[in-house]
Coordinates of all heavy atoms in Angstrom, one line a residue:
F4 N -0.7 15.9 -5.9 CA -1.5 14.7 -5.5 C -1.7 13.8 -6.6 O -1.7 12.6 -6.5 CB -2.8 15.2 -4.9 CG -2.6 15.8 -3.6 CD1 -3.0 17.2 -3.3 CD2 -2.2 15.1 -2.4 CE1 -2.8 17.7 -2.1 CE2 -2.2 15.6 -1.2 CZ -2.4 17.0 -1.1
F9 N 0.1 8.7 -9.0 CA 0.7 8.0 -10.0 C 1.9 7.2 -9.4 O 2.2 6.1 -9.8 CB 1.2 9.0 -11.2 CG 2.1 8.3 -12.2 CD1 1.4 7.5 -13.1 CD2 3.4 8.6 -12.3 CE1 2.1 6.9 -14.2 CE2 4.1 8.0 -13.3 CZ 3.5 7.2 -14.2
L10 N 2.6 7.8 -8.5 CA 3.7 7.1 -7.9 C 3.4 5.8 -7.1 O 3.9 4.7 -7.1 CB 4.5 7.9 -6.9 CG 5.4 9.1 -7.7 CD1 6.0 10.0 -6.7 CD2 6.4 8.4 -8.6
M17 N 5.4 -2.3 -9.5 CA 6.7 -2.8 -9.2 C 6.6 -4.1 -8.3 O 7.3 -5.0 -8.4 CB 7.6 -1.8 -8.6 CG 8.1 -0.8 -9.7 SD 8.9 0.6 -9.0 CE 10.2 -0.1 -8.1
L19 N 3.9 -6.0 -7.9 CA 3.3 -7.1 -8.7 C 4.4 -7.8 -9.5 O 4.5 -9.1 -9.6 CB 2.1 -6.5 -9.6 CG 1.5 -7.5 -10.5 CD1 0.8 -8.6 -9.4 CD2 0.5 -7.0 -11.4
G20 N 5.3 -7.0 -10.1 CA 6.3 -7.6 -11.0 C 7.4 -8.4 -10.0 O 7.8 -9.5 -10.4
D22 N 6.6 -9.9 -7.2 CA 5.9 -11.1 -6.9 C 5.8 -12.1 -8.0 O 6.0 -13.3 -7.8 CB 4.4 -10.8 -6.5 CG 4.4 -10.1 -5.1 OD1 5.3 -10.1 -4.3 OD2 3.2 -9.5 -4.8
L24 N 8.3 -12.4 -10.4 CA 9.5 -13.0 -10.4 C 9.8 -13.9 -9.2 O 10.4 -15.0 -9.5 CB 10.5 -11.8 -10.4 CG 10.7 -11.1 -11.7 CD1 11.7 -9.9 -11.5 CD2 11.1 -11.9 -12.8
R35 N 3.9 -11.2 -1.6 CA 4.3 -10.6 -0.3 C 3.1 -9.7 0.2 O 2.5 -9.0 -0.5 CB 5.5 -9.6 -0.6 CG 6.8 -10.2 -0.8 CD 7.9 -9.1 -0.8 NE 9.1 -9.7 -1.0 CZ 9.9 -9.5 -2.0 NH1 9.5 -8.5 -2.9 NH2 11.0 -10.0 -2.2
S38 N 2.8 -6.0 4.8 CA 3.6 -5.9 6.0 C 5.0 -6.4 5.7 O 6.0 -5.7 6.1 CB 3.1 -6.8 7.1 OG 3.8 -6.7 8.4
L40 N 6.4 -6.2 2.7 CA 7.1 -5.2 1.8 C 7.5 -4.1 2.7 O 8.6 -3.5 2.4 CB 6.2 -4.7 0.7 CG 6.7 -3.8 -0.3 CD1 7.8 -4.3 -1.1 CD2 5.6 -3.1 -1.1
W41 N 6.7 -3.6 3.6 CA 7.1 -2.5 4.4 C 8.3 -2.9 5.3 O 9.1 -2.0 5.5 CB 5.9 -2.0 5.3 CG 6.0 -0.8 6.1 CD1 7.0 0.0 6.2 CD2 5.0 -0.2 6.8 NE1 6.8 1.1 7.0 CE2 5.5 1.0 7.4 CE3 3.8 -0.6 7.2 CZ2 4.8 1.8 8.3 CZ3 3.0 0.2 8.0 CH2 3.4 1.4 8.4
H45 N 11.5 -0.5 5.4 CA 12.1 0.0 6.7 C 11.4 -0.7 7.7 O 10.2 -0.4 8.2 CB 11.8 1.6 6.8 CG 12.5 2.2 7.8 ND1 11.9 2.4 9.1 CD2 13.7 2.7 8.0 CE1 12.8 2.9 9.9 NE2 14.0 3.3 9.2
F52 N 4.7 1.0 14.0 CA 3.4 1.0 13.5 C 2.5 -0.1 14.0 O 1.4 0.2 14.7 CB 3.1 1.2 12.1 CG 1.7 1.3 11.5 CD1 1.0 2.4 11.8 CD2 1.1 0.1 11.1 CE1 -0.2 2.6 11.4 CE2 -0.3 0.3 10.7 CZ -0.9 1.4 10.9
N59 N -2.4 1.3 20.9 CA -3.2 2.6 21.0 C -4.4 2.8 20.0 O -5.0 3.9 20.1 CB -2.2 3.7 20.9 CG -1.1 3.7 22.1 OD1 -1.4 3.3 23.2 ND2 0.1 4.0 21.7
E62 N -10.4 0.5 19.1 CA -10.9 -0.9 19.0 C -11.4 -1.3 17.5 O -11.3 -2.4 17.1 CB -11.9 -1.3 20.0 CG -11.3 -1.7 21.4 CD -10.3 -2.8 21.3 OE1 -10.6 -3.8 20.7 OE2 -9.3 -2.6 22.0
P67 N -9.4 -4.2 11.1 CA -9.1 -3.7 9.7 C -7.6 -3.4 9.4 O -7.1 -3.7 8.3 CB -9.9 -2.4 9.5 CG -11.0 -2.6 10.6 CD -10.4 -3.4 11.7
L68 N -6.8 -2.9 10.4 CA -5.4 -2.7 10.2 C -4.8 -4.0 10.0 O -3.8 -4.0 9.1 CB -4.9 -1.9 11.4 CG -5.3 -0.3 11.4 CD1 -4.6 0.3 12.5 CD2 -4.7 0.3 10.0
L80 N -1.1 -0.8 -2.4 CA -0.5 0.4 -3.0 C -1.3 0.8 -4.2 O -1.6 2.0 -4.4 CB 0.9 0.0 -3.4 CG 1.9 -0.3 -2.3 CD1 3.2 -0.7 -2.9 CD2 2.1 1.1 -1.5
G81 N -1.9 -0.1 -5.0 CA -2.6 0.1 -6.2 C -4.0 0.8 -5.8 O -4.4 1.8 -6.3
I91 N -8.7 13.2 -6.9 CA -8.2 14.5 -7.4 C -8.8 14.8 -8.8 O -9.2 16.0 -9.0 CB -6.6 14.4 -7.5 CG1 -6.0 14.3 -6.2 CG2 -6.0 15.6 -8.3 CD1 -6.4 15.4 -5.2
A92 N -9.1 13.8 -9.6 CA -9.7 14.0 -10.9 C -11.2 14.5 -10.6 O -11.6 15.4 -11.4 CB -9.7 12.8 -11.7
L94 N -12.3 16.1 -8.0 CA -12.3 17.5 -7.4 C -11.9 18.6 -8.5 O -12.4 19.6 -8.6 CB -11.2 17.7 -6.4 CG -11.6 16.9 -5.1 CD1 -10.4 17.0 -4.0 CD2 -12.8 17.6 -4.4
R95 N -11.1 18.0 -9.5 CA -10.8 19.0 -10.6 C -12.0 19.2 -11.5 O -12.1 20.3 -12.0 CB -9.6 18.4 -11.4 CG -9.0 19.3 -12.4 CD -7.8 18.8 -13.0 NE -7.1 19.8 -13.9 CZ -6.2 19.5 -14.6 NH1 -5.6 18.3 -14.7 NH2 -5.6 20.5 -15.2
A97 N -15.1 19.2 -10.5 CA -16.0 20.1 -9.8 C -15.7 21.6 -10.0 O -16.6 22.5 -9.8 CB -16.0 19.7 -8.3

Side-chain angles (χ1 to χ4, degrees):
F4 288 113
F9 177 70
L10 289 175
M17 289 172 56
L19 182 62
D22 287 346
L24 288 175
R35 281 192 184 117
S38 179
L40 181 68
W41 192 354
H45 194 265
F52 178 78
N59 299 326
E62 282 299 318
L68 285 176
L80 294 172
I91 296 304
L94 288 175
R95 190 171 190 187

